[in-house]
Amino acid sequence: MIFGGWCDEKYRFDWFFERPGGEFVSKADWLGGYTPFCHGTNRLGESTTNGVFFFPWDLEKPEDVPSVEGIVAEGGDSLMFINNAGTVEPIGEIGELSEETLRKAAQINFVSPMLFCNRLVGLCRKKRQKLKIINISTGAANYPIAGWGSYCSTKAAFKMFLDVLAEQEKGGGCVEVVHVDPGVMDTGMQEKIRAADAKSFPRLAEFQALKAEGKLRRPEEVAENIIRKYIL
Protein backbone atom coordinates (compact mmCIF):
# COMPACT_ATOMS: atom_id res chain seq x y z
CA MET A 1 0.00 0.00 0.00
CA ILE A 2 1.59 3.23 -1.16
CA PHE A 3 0.67 6.86 -0.60
CA GLY A 4 1.49 9.02 -3.58
CA GLY A 5 3.19 12.39 -3.33
CA TRP A 6 2.29 15.94 -4.26
CA CYS A 7 3.95 17.30 -7.36
CA ASP A 8 3.16 20.34 -9.50
CA GLU A 9 -0.63 20.78 -9.59
CA LYS A 10 -1.58 17.14 -9.20
CA TYR A 11 -0.86 14.15 -7.06
CA ARG A 12 1.22 11.47 -8.67
CA PHE A 13 2.86 8.32 -7.45
CA ASP A 14 6.52 9.23 -7.25
CA TRP A 15 9.30 6.71 -6.65
CA PHE A 16 7.63 3.38 -7.14
CA PHE A 17 4.96 4.68 -9.49
CA GLU A 18 6.56 7.72 -11.11
CA ARG A 19 3.77 8.03 -13.67
CA PRO A 20 0.54 6.04 -13.85
CA GLY A 21 1.07 3.42 -16.52
CA GLY A 22 4.79 4.15 -16.62
CA GLU A 23 7.94 2.21 -15.93
CA PHE A 24 7.52 1.55 -12.24
CA VAL A 25 3.92 0.48 -12.53
CA SER A 26 4.99 -2.09 -15.10
CA LYS A 27 7.63 -3.36 -12.68
CA ALA A 28 5.24 -4.08 -9.83
CA ASP A 29 6.72 -7.58 -9.70
CA TRP A 30 9.69 -5.95 -7.91
CA LEU A 31 7.45 -5.86 -4.86
CA GLY A 32 8.02 -9.57 -4.38
CA GLY A 33 4.44 -10.77 -4.46
CA TYR A 34 2.83 -7.83 -2.68
CA THR A 35 -0.25 -6.39 -4.34
CA PRO A 36 0.32 -2.63 -4.34
CA PHE A 37 -2.59 -0.38 -3.45
CA CYS A 38 -2.01 3.32 -4.08
CA HIS A 39 -3.83 6.11 -2.27
CA GLY A 40 -3.84 9.68 -3.42
CA THR A 41 -5.48 11.69 -6.14
CA ASN A 42 -4.91 10.14 -9.54
CA ARG A 43 -6.41 12.71 -11.86
CA LEU A 44 -5.79 10.62 -14.94
CA GLY A 45 -8.51 8.35 -13.66
CA GLU A 46 -6.94 4.90 -13.94
CA SER A 47 -8.61 2.26 -11.80
CA THR A 48 -6.17 -0.60 -12.31
CA THR A 49 -2.86 -0.89 -14.13
CA ASN A 50 -0.90 -4.14 -14.19
CA GLY A 51 -2.30 -5.25 -10.86
CA VAL A 52 -1.93 -1.82 -9.24
CA PHE A 53 -5.16 -0.61 -7.67
CA PHE A 54 -5.72 3.13 -7.30
CA PHE A 55 -7.98 4.48 -4.57
CA PRO A 56 -8.53 8.23 -5.05
CA TRP A 57 -8.24 10.45 -1.99
CA ASP A 58 -7.41 14.14 -2.01
CA LEU A 59 -4.98 14.39 0.90
CA GLU A 60 -5.95 18.04 1.35
CA LYS A 61 -9.24 16.70 2.70
CA PRO A 62 -8.45 14.58 5.76
CA GLU A 63 -12.15 14.40 6.53
CA ASP A 64 -12.47 12.10 3.50
CA VAL A 65 -10.04 9.51 4.87
CA PRO A 66 -11.07 6.23 3.19
CA SER A 67 -12.15 3.10 4.96
CA VAL A 68 -9.39 0.52 5.19
CA GLU A 69 -11.74 -2.43 5.58
CA GLY A 70 -12.06 -3.04 1.85
CA ILE A 71 -8.37 -2.83 0.98
CA VAL A 72 -6.88 -5.23 3.49
CA ALA A 73 -7.23 -8.77 2.19
CA GLU A 74 -8.73 -11.44 4.40
CA GLY A 75 -6.44 -14.27 5.39
CA GLY A 76 -3.15 -12.46 4.86
CA ASP A 77 -0.58 -12.44 7.61
CA SER A 78 1.17 -9.15 6.83
CA LEU A 79 0.71 -5.75 5.21
CA MET A 80 3.13 -3.06 4.10
CA PHE A 81 2.33 0.66 3.99
CA ILE A 82 4.68 3.08 2.22
CA ASN A 83 4.07 6.76 2.89
CA ASN A 84 5.44 9.12 0.26
CA ALA A 85 2.99 11.98 0.61
CA GLY A 86 4.65 15.36 0.70
CA THR A 87 4.64 18.97 -0.44
CA VAL A 88 7.49 21.43 0.15
CA GLU A 89 5.20 24.42 -0.32
CA PRO A 90 4.82 27.05 0.98
CA ILE A 91 8.42 28.21 0.79
CA GLY A 92 9.10 31.51 2.50
CA GLU A 93 9.66 33.40 5.70
CA ILE A 94 7.47 32.60 8.66
CA GLY A 95 5.15 35.55 9.16
CA GLU A 96 4.63 35.98 5.42
CA LEU A 97 3.21 32.56 4.57
CA SER A 98 -0.30 32.05 3.28
CA GLU A 99 -2.54 30.46 5.90
CA GLU A 100 -4.31 28.47 3.21
CA THR A 101 -1.08 26.89 1.93
CA LEU A 102 0.02 26.21 5.52
CA ARG A 103 -3.21 24.32 6.15
CA LYS A 104 -2.80 22.34 2.92
CA ALA A 105 0.76 21.38 3.80
CA ALA A 106 -0.26 20.22 7.26
CA GLN A 107 -3.07 18.12 5.82
CA ILE A 108 -0.92 16.50 3.11
CA ASN A 109 2.28 15.96 5.09
CA PHE A 110 0.84 15.13 8.49
CA VAL A 111 -2.89 15.04 9.22
CA SER A 112 -4.07 12.76 6.40
CA PRO A 113 -1.23 10.20 6.73
CA MET A 114 -1.70 10.21 10.52
CA LEU A 115 -5.44 9.55 10.32
CA PHE A 116 -5.01 6.82 7.73
CA CYS A 117 -2.18 5.19 9.66
CA ASN A 118 -4.26 5.19 12.84
CA ARG A 119 -7.05 3.34 11.04
CA LEU A 120 -4.64 0.92 9.46
CA VAL A 121 -2.96 0.02 12.75
CA GLY A 122 -6.36 -0.54 14.36
CA LEU A 123 -7.49 -2.83 11.57
CA CYS A 124 -4.26 -4.85 11.58
CA ARG A 125 -4.62 -5.39 15.31
CA LYS A 126 -8.20 -6.50 14.82
CA LYS A 127 -7.21 -8.95 12.08
CA ARG A 128 -4.01 -9.99 13.90
CA GLN A 129 -1.91 -9.03 10.89
CA LYS A 130 1.63 -7.70 10.99
CA LEU A 131 2.15 -4.23 9.58
CA LYS A 132 5.37 -2.73 8.25
CA ILE A 133 5.33 1.03 7.72
CA ILE A 134 8.00 2.56 5.47
CA ASN A 135 7.99 6.32 5.80
CA ILE A 136 9.81 8.15 3.00
CA SER A 137 11.16 10.93 5.17
CA THR A 138 13.64 13.76 4.71
CA GLY A 139 16.57 15.32 6.48
CA ALA A 140 14.35 18.38 6.86
CA ALA A 141 12.37 16.42 9.47
CA ASN A 142 15.47 16.42 11.70
CA TYR A 143 16.86 19.97 11.45
CA PRO A 144 15.59 23.45 10.57
CA ILE A 145 16.02 24.92 7.09
CA ALA A 146 15.24 28.61 6.59
CA GLY A 147 12.29 29.01 4.24
CA TRP A 148 10.99 25.52 4.89
CA GLY A 149 9.13 26.13 8.13
CA SER A 150 6.05 24.29 6.92
CA TYR A 151 7.89 21.34 5.34
CA CYS A 152 10.31 20.79 8.23
CA SER A 153 7.65 20.96 10.90
CA THR A 154 4.98 18.82 9.24
CA LYS A 155 7.39 16.09 8.15
CA ALA A 156 8.88 16.08 11.64
CA ALA A 157 5.40 15.81 13.13
CA PHE A 158 4.51 12.66 11.18
CA LYS A 159 7.92 11.16 11.87
CA MET A 160 7.36 11.65 15.60
CA PHE A 161 3.88 10.14 15.34
CA LEU A 162 5.43 7.01 13.87
CA ASP A 163 8.24 7.04 16.45
CA VAL A 164 5.61 7.01 19.20
CA LEU A 165 3.92 4.10 17.42
CA ALA A 166 7.22 2.22 17.28
CA GLU A 167 7.77 2.84 20.99
CA GLN A 168 4.26 1.62 21.70
CA GLU A 169 4.86 -1.60 19.75
CA LYS A 170 8.12 -2.54 21.45
CA GLY A 171 8.18 -5.98 22.99
CA GLY A 172 5.99 -8.06 20.75
CA GLY A 173 3.79 -5.56 18.92
CA CYS A 174 2.50 -6.14 15.42
CA VAL A 175 3.91 -2.97 13.84
CA GLU A 176 7.39 -2.21 12.49
CA VAL A 177 8.34 1.34 11.50
CA VAL A 178 11.16 2.22 9.10
CA HIS A 179 12.15 5.78 8.17
CA VAL A 180 13.99 6.23 4.87
CA ASP A 181 15.76 9.46 3.93
CA PRO A 182 16.25 9.22 0.14
CA GLY A 183 18.53 12.23 -0.15
CA VAL A 184 18.25 14.94 -2.78
CA MET A 185 16.72 13.72 -6.03
CA ASP A 186 15.83 15.10 -9.43
CA THR A 187 12.08 15.47 -8.92
CA GLY A 188 9.32 17.99 -9.42
CA MET A 189 9.76 19.05 -5.81
CA GLN A 190 13.32 20.12 -6.61
CA GLU A 191 12.00 22.17 -9.53
CA LYS A 192 9.77 24.06 -7.13
CA ILE A 193 12.68 24.64 -4.76
CA ARG A 194 14.87 26.04 -7.57
CA ALA A 195 12.01 28.29 -8.68
CA ALA A 196 11.91 30.03 -5.28
CA ASP A 197 13.64 33.35 -4.70
CA ALA A 198 16.67 33.86 -2.49
CA LYS A 199 14.75 35.93 0.05
CA SER A 200 12.23 33.14 0.57
CA PHE A 201 14.88 30.42 0.53
CA PRO A 202 18.41 31.52 1.50
CA ARG A 203 19.96 28.22 0.34
CA LEU A 204 18.64 28.64 -3.19
CA ALA A 205 22.06 28.85 -4.87
CA GLU A 206 23.15 25.60 -3.21
CA PHE A 207 20.17 23.67 -4.61
CA GLN A 208 20.52 25.25 -8.04
CA ALA A 209 24.16 24.11 -8.07
CA LEU A 210 23.17 20.53 -7.25
CA LYS A 211 21.13 20.43 -10.46
CA ALA A 212 23.71 22.25 -12.57
CA GLU A 213 26.50 19.93 -11.40
CA GLY A 214 24.49 16.74 -11.93
CA LYS A 215 24.48 15.82 -8.25
CA LEU A 216 20.79 15.03 -7.93
CA ARG A 217 19.96 11.34 -7.60
CA ARG A 218 17.71 9.65 -10.17
CA PRO A 219 14.33 8.70 -8.60
CA GLU A 220 14.34 5.37 -10.45
CA GLU A 221 17.66 4.39 -8.90
CA VAL A 222 16.58 5.41 -5.41
CA ALA A 223 13.25 3.61 -5.74
CA GLU A 224 14.94 0.39 -6.80
CA ASN A 225 17.34 0.59 -3.87
CA ILE A 226 14.49 1.10 -1.41
CA ILE A 227 12.52 -1.79 -2.85
CA ARG A 228 15.47 -4.16 -2.66
CA LYS A 229 16.58 -3.08 0.80
CA TYR A 230 13.27 -2.77 2.61
CA ILE A 231 10.69 -4.74 0.63
CA LEU A 232 12.09 -7.74 -1.17
Side-chain angles (χ1 to χ4, degrees):
M1 186 178 301
I2 303 173
F3 261 32
W6 172 262
C7 180
D8 299 322
E9 296 181 351
K10 64 183 179 182
Y11 289 100
R12 72 180 189 184
F13 303 102
D14 291 338
W15 300 78
F16 303 103
F17 301 93
E18 178 66 15
R19 296 178 183 84
E23 180 180 6
F24 281 88
V25 168
S26 67
K27 291 186 178 179
D29 58 309
W30 282 3
L31 298 178
Y34 287 96
T35 299
F37 292 85
C38 299
H39 274 273
T41 299
N42 175 12
R43 296 188 181 177
L44 297 182
E46 292 89 350
S47 56
T48 63
T49 306
N50 295 337
V52 178
F53 298 86
F54 293 98
F55 291 83
W57 175 25
D58 187 341
L59 300 182
E60 291 180 12
K61 299 177 180 179
E63 66 275 12
D64 293 338
V65 56
S67 169
V68 295
E69 291 283 348
I71 59 176
V72 177
E74 294 289 343
D77 60 0
S78 64
L79 180 69
M80 182 178 296
F81 169 49
I82 303 172
N83 177 60
N84 187 40
T87 177
V88 73
E89 295 179 305
I91 298 174
E93 294 183 338
I94 295 173
E96 299 183 1
L97 301 173
S98 157
E99 292 186 2
E100 180 182 0
T101 55
L102 282 173
R103 279 193 293 269
K104 287 181 179 180
Q107 289 158 354
I108 294 168
N109 293 349
F110 176 47
V111 178
S112 289
M114 176 179 64
L115 294 177
F116 186 81
C117 191
N118 182 62
R119 287 194 178 187
L120 196 58
V121 171
L123 183 63
C124 286
R125 283 182 163 185
K126 177 182 176 182
K127 293 179 176 289
R128 293 184 172 85
Q129 290 183 334
K130 293 181 179 180
L131 172 63
K132 183 174 185 178
I133 299 173
I134 299 178
N135 180 42
I136 308 301
S137 190
T138 169
N142 302 317
Y143 49 81
I145 298 175
W148 289 6
S150 170
Y151 187 59
C152 291
S153 59
T154 53
K155 295 297 279 188
F158 186 61
K159 181 177 182 293
M160 179 56 72
F161 178 78
L162 293 182
D163 286 345
V164 172
L165 173 61
E167 182 70 20
Q168 166 188 302
E169 296 297 308
K170 277 185 178 179
C174 68
V175 182
E176 176 188 0
V177 174
V178 178
H179 297 293
V180 179
D181 179 0
V184 186
M185 300 179 302
D186 196 3
T187 64
M189 182 178 288
Q190 286 294 313
E191 293 174 6
K192 286 187 176 295
I193 293 168
R194 294 193 300 274
D197 60 79
K199 181 178 183 296
S200 299
F201 182 48
R203 292 176 60 182
L204 176 63
E206 173 187 339
F207 278 75
Q208 290 175 333
L210 289 173
K211 175 66 173 180
E213 297 168 7
K215 293 182 178 180
L216 297 177
R217 304 181 69 189
R218 292 175 58 251
E220 297 87 351
E221 174 189 351
V222 177
E224 185 175 353
N225 289 338
I226 291 174
I227 291 171
R228 290 179 173 168
K229 185 172 182 179
Y230 299 104
I231 300 177
L232 296 183

